Amino acid sequence: MAARLIAVVGPSGVGKDTVMHALAASDPSMSLVRRVITRPSDAGGEDFDGVTCDEFDLRVARGDFCLWWDAHGLSYGIPKSQIEHRPEGTVALVNLSRSILDEARASFDGFRVISLTANPETLARRLGGRGRETQDEILRRLARAGHARPQGEDVIEICNDGALDETIQAITVALYPERAVR
């Protein structure tokens, strides 16, 4: 059986990668999935494998990805090897697009979604601080922030406006209620 998969989703600037790193650091059974993106490898931000559009299309044609999608003018892929070769009992954390959740649900048993939210001021501050987007790109991302918030029994919605440790605590309690201190 492949590793259990937990998608971390939310609008740009909500802190998905920061939260994922903190979750993995707090629980040795969790580890991060490294995505393939048609973005230059030196673009900064998350750890990812940057490829050209031609290389990405070749990998899709070879069947290298278990999931792939396009967003914000880029292509994103989750290599099968990042999911299939994980030890039994581990949890794979992956930054997914909200648009691909139904396909992920159909593909993975035990799939869960952590849907992060934040107020528009927080998102704007974080997007501006990372320095990857122009002001127009930031405005477009902010306009999509509330778009298509995931629904379903597998979704845990967490507001990430506060301290990171509070967010991690809320996620941990939601994922593992039996660990909660009574």
Side-chain angles (χ1 to χ4, degrees):
M1 172 190 258
R4 182 172 172 208
L5 188 69
I6 297 177
V8 179
V9 301
S12 296
V14 78
K16 295 180 291 286
D17 293 314
T18 300
V19 167
M20 289 171 55
H21 279 277
L23 277 171
S26 73
D27 185 340
S29 73
M30 292 186 177
S31 58
L32 305 177
V33 171
R34 186 178 173 104
R35 302 188 300 177
V36 173
I37 306 174
T38 55
R39 174 190 293 150
S41 295
D42 61 357
E46 70 179 283
D47 291 330
F48 67 96
D49 292 326
V51 298
T52 65
C53 293
D54 288 341
E55 173 67 17
F56 190 91
D57 291 342
L58 177 64
R59 290 184 183 191
V60 168
R62 281 194 317 231
D64 291 353
F65 300 126
C66 54
L67 298 168
W68 70 92
W69 66 95
D70 295 318
H72 308 296
L74 301 170
S75 296
Y76 298 79
I78 306 302
K80 288 179 181 177
S81 62
Q82 288 281 307
I83 306 299
E84 293 174 348
H85 300 294
R86 289 178 179 262
E88 180 76 27
T90 63
V91 177
L93 295 169
V94 62
N95 179 339
L96 284 185
S97 169
R98 293 168 281 182
S99 69
I100 198 84
L101 290 179
D102 286 338
E103 186 175 339
R105 285 177 172 122
S107 300
F108 299 99
D109 292 333
F111 180 73
R112 300 290 303 269
V113 179
I114 298 170
S115 176
L116 297 176
T117 64
N119 70 50
E121 295 79 20
T122 300
L123 296 176
R125 185 180 74 250
R126 290 176 181 164
L127 287 170
R130 68 187 190 181
R132 285 198 317 235
E133 295 90 2
T134 66
Q135 189 61 34
D136 285 342
E137 290 170 329
I138 289 172
L139 291 174
R140 282 195 298 276
R141 287 178 184 259
L142 289 172
R144 286 187 34 88
H147 173 75
R149 284 170 56 180
Q151 304 292 313
E153 291 182 21
D154 60 354
V155 177
I156 300 166
E157 186 168 283
I158 302 289
C159 180
N160 189 32
D161 275 330
L164 180 59
D165 60 337
E166 292 172 6
T167 299
I168 300 309
Q169 173 77 18
I171 291 169
T172 302
V173 167
L175 285 173
Y176 308 108
E178 68 278 6
R179 294 184 190 172
V181 177
R182 302 200 190 265

Short mmCIF file of all heavy atoms in Angstrom, two decimals, residues 85-107:
data_model
loop_
_atom_site.label_atom_id
_atom_site.label_comp_id
_atom_site.label_asym_id
_atom_site.label_seq_id
_atom_site.Cartn_x
_atom_site.Cartn_y
_atom_site.Cartn_z
N HIS A 85 6.99 4.98 -3.46
CA HIS A 85 8.17 4.38 -2.83
C HIS A 85 8.38 4.89 -1.41
O HIS A 85 9.51 4.91 -0.93
CB HIS A 85 9.41 4.61 -3.69
CG HIS A 85 9.28 4.01 -5.06
ND1 HIS A 85 9.19 2.66 -5.26
CD2 HIS A 85 9.18 4.59 -6.27
CE1 HIS A 85 9.05 2.42 -6.55
NE2 HIS A 85 9.04 3.58 -7.18
N ARG A 86 7.31 5.23 -0.74
CA ARG A 86 7.41 5.67 0.65
C ARG A 86 7.12 4.48 1.56
O ARG A 86 6.33 3.62 1.23
CB ARG A 86 6.42 6.79 0.92
CG ARG A 86 6.85 8.07 0.23
CD ARG A 86 5.86 9.19 0.44
NE ARG A 86 6.35 10.37 -0.23
CZ ARG A 86 7.01 11.34 0.39
NH1 ARG A 86 7.21 11.28 1.68
NH2 ARG A 86 7.45 12.37 -0.28
N PRO A 87 7.74 4.48 2.73
CA PRO A 87 7.50 3.37 3.66
C PRO A 87 6.05 3.29 4.11
O PRO A 87 5.36 4.31 4.24
CB PRO A 87 8.41 3.70 4.85
CG PRO A 87 9.40 4.69 4.33
CD PRO A 87 8.72 5.43 3.22
N GLU A 88 5.60 2.08 4.36
CA GLU A 88 4.27 1.83 4.90
C GLU A 88 4.10 2.62 6.20
O GLU A 88 5.02 2.72 7.00
CB GLU A 88 4.12 0.33 5.18
CG GLU A 88 2.79 -0.06 5.74
CD GLU A 88 1.69 -0.07 4.69
OE1 GLU A 88 1.99 -0.28 3.50
OE2 GLU A 88 0.53 0.15 5.07
N GLY A 89 2.93 3.20 6.36
CA GLY A 89 2.63 3.92 7.58
C GLY A 89 3.06 5.37 7.58
O GLY A 89 2.87 6.08 8.56
N THR A 90 3.67 5.82 6.48
CA THR A 90 4.06 7.22 6.42
C THR A 90 2.95 8.05 5.77
O THR A 90 2.07 7.51 5.10
CB THR A 90 5.37 7.43 5.64
OG1 THR A 90 5.18 7.02 4.29
CG2 THR A 90 6.50 6.66 6.28
N VAL A 91 3.03 9.32 5.98
CA VAL A 91 2.06 10.26 5.42
C VAL A 91 2.80 11.19 4.48
O VAL A 91 3.79 11.81 4.85
CB VAL A 91 1.38 11.08 6.54
CG1 VAL A 91 0.43 12.11 5.95
CG2 VAL A 91 0.65 10.16 7.51
N ALA A 92 2.33 11.27 3.25
CA ALA A 92 2.91 12.15 2.25
C ALA A 92 2.11 13.45 2.22
O ALA A 92 0.91 13.43 1.98
CB ALA A 92 2.89 11.48 0.88
N LEU A 93 2.77 14.57 2.50
CA LEU A 93 2.14 15.88 2.44
C LEU A 93 2.44 16.50 1.09
O LEU A 93 3.60 16.57 0.67
CB LEU A 93 2.71 16.80 3.52
CG LEU A 93 2.45 16.42 4.97
CD1 LEU A 93 3.30 17.28 5.90
CD2 LEU A 93 0.98 16.58 5.29
N VAL A 94 1.40 16.95 0.40
CA VAL A 94 1.60 17.51 -0.93
C VAL A 94 0.78 18.78 -1.11
O VAL A 94 -0.38 18.86 -0.70
CB VAL A 94 1.25 16.47 -2.03
CG1 VAL A 94 -0.19 16.05 -1.97
CG2 VAL A 94 1.62 16.98 -3.40
N ASN A 95 1.40 19.78 -1.70
CA ASN A 95 0.75 21.03 -2.04
C ASN A 95 0.02 20.81 -3.37
O ASN A 95 0.65 20.68 -4.41
CB ASN A 95 1.84 22.10 -2.17
CG ASN A 95 1.31 23.46 -2.53
OD1 ASN A 95 0.21 23.62 -3.07
ND2 ASN A 95 2.11 24.48 -2.27
N LEU A 96 -1.30 20.71 -3.30
CA LEU A 96 -2.10 20.45 -4.50
C LEU A 96 -2.96 21.65 -4.86
O LEU A 96 -3.30 22.47 -4.00
CB LEU A 96 -3.04 19.27 -4.29
CG LEU A 96 -2.48 17.87 -4.31
CD1 LEU A 96 -3.60 16.84 -4.21
CD2 LEU A 96 -1.66 17.60 -5.55
N SER A 97 -3.35 21.69 -6.11
CA SER A 97 -4.34 22.65 -6.58
C SER A 97 -5.72 22.17 -6.15
O SER A 97 -6.02 20.97 -6.17
CB SER A 97 -4.29 22.75 -8.10
OG SER A 97 -5.40 23.47 -8.58
N ARG A 98 -6.57 23.10 -5.78
CA ARG A 98 -7.95 22.76 -5.44
C ARG A 98 -8.66 22.12 -6.63
O ARG A 98 -9.56 21.31 -6.46
CB ARG A 98 -8.69 24.01 -4.95
CG ARG A 98 -8.14 24.52 -3.62
CD ARG A 98 -8.65 25.90 -3.29
NE ARG A 98 -7.90 26.89 -4.06
CZ ARG A 98 -8.08 28.20 -3.96
NH1 ARG A 98 -8.99 28.69 -3.14
NH2 ARG A 98 -7.36 29.03 -4.68
N SER A 99 -8.22 22.43 -7.84
CA SER A 99 -8.87 21.91 -9.05
C SER A 99 -8.64 20.42 -9.27
O SER A 99 -9.35 19.79 -10.04
CB SER A 99 -8.39 22.69 -10.28
OG SER A 99 -7.02 22.40 -10.54
N ILE A 100 -7.67 19.82 -8.60
CA ILE A 100 -7.30 18.42 -8.84
C ILE A 100 -7.77 17.50 -7.71
O ILE A 100 -7.53 16.29 -7.73
CB ILE A 100 -5.76 18.32 -9.06
CG1 ILE A 100 -5.35 17.03 -9.73
CG2 ILE A 100 -5.01 18.48 -7.76
CD1 ILE A 100 -5.46 17.07 -11.20
N LEU A 101 -8.48 18.04 -6.73
CA LEU A 101 -8.85 17.25 -5.54
C LEU A 101 -9.72 16.05 -5.87
O LEU A 101 -9.52 14.97 -5.30
CB LEU A 101 -9.53 18.14 -4.50
CG LEU A 101 -8.62 19.15 -3.82
CD1 LEU A 101 -9.42 19.98 -2.82
CD2 LEU A 101 -7.44 18.48 -3.15
N ASP A 102 -10.69 16.20 -6.75
CA ASP A 102 -11.56 15.06 -7.06
C ASP A 102 -10.77 13.92 -7.69
O ASP A 102 -11.01 12.75 -7.39
CB ASP A 102 -12.73 15.47 -7.95
CG ASP A 102 -13.78 16.25 -7.18
OD1 ASP A 102 -13.84 16.12 -5.94
OD2 ASP A 102 -14.55 17.00 -7.83
N GLU A 103 -9.82 14.25 -8.54
CA GLU A 103 -8.98 13.21 -9.14
C GLU A 103 -8.11 12.54 -8.07
O GLU A 103 -7.95 11.32 -8.06
CB GLU A 103 -8.09 13.80 -10.23
CG GLU A 103 -7.30 12.76 -10.98
CD GLU A 103 -6.52 13.33 -12.15
OE1 GLU A 103 -6.86 14.42 -12.65
OE2 GLU A 103 -5.56 12.65 -12.56
N ALA A 104 -7.59 13.33 -7.14
CA ALA A 104 -6.79 12.76 -6.05
C ALA A 104 -7.64 11.86 -5.16
O ALA A 104 -7.20 10.77 -4.76
CB ALA A 104 -6.15 13.87 -5.23
N ARG A 105 -8.86 12.29 -4.88
CA ARG A 105 -9.77 11.47 -4.06
C ARG A 105 -10.02 10.11 -4.71
O ARG A 105 -10.08 9.09 -4.03
CB ARG A 105 -11.09 12.20 -3.87
CG ARG A 105 -11.05 13.33 -2.90
CD ARG A 105 -12.40 14.03 -2.84
NE ARG A 105 -12.42 15.01 -1.77
CZ ARG A 105 -12.66 16.31 -1.93
NH1 ARG A 105 -12.92 16.79 -3.15
NH2 ARG A 105 -12.65 17.11 -0.90
N ALA A 106 -10.17 10.12 -6.02
CA ALA A 106 -10.44 8.88 -6.74
C ALA A 106 -9.20 7.99 -6.84
O ALA A 106 -9.32 6.78 -7.03
CB ALA A 106 -10.96 9.20 -8.15
N SER A 107 -8.03 8.57 -6.68
CA SER A 107 -6.78 7.83 -6.88
C SER A 107 -6.16 7.27 -5.61
O SER A 107 -5.37 6.33 -5.68
CB SER A 107 -5.75 8.74 -7.55
OG SER A 107 -6.21 9.19 -8.81
#
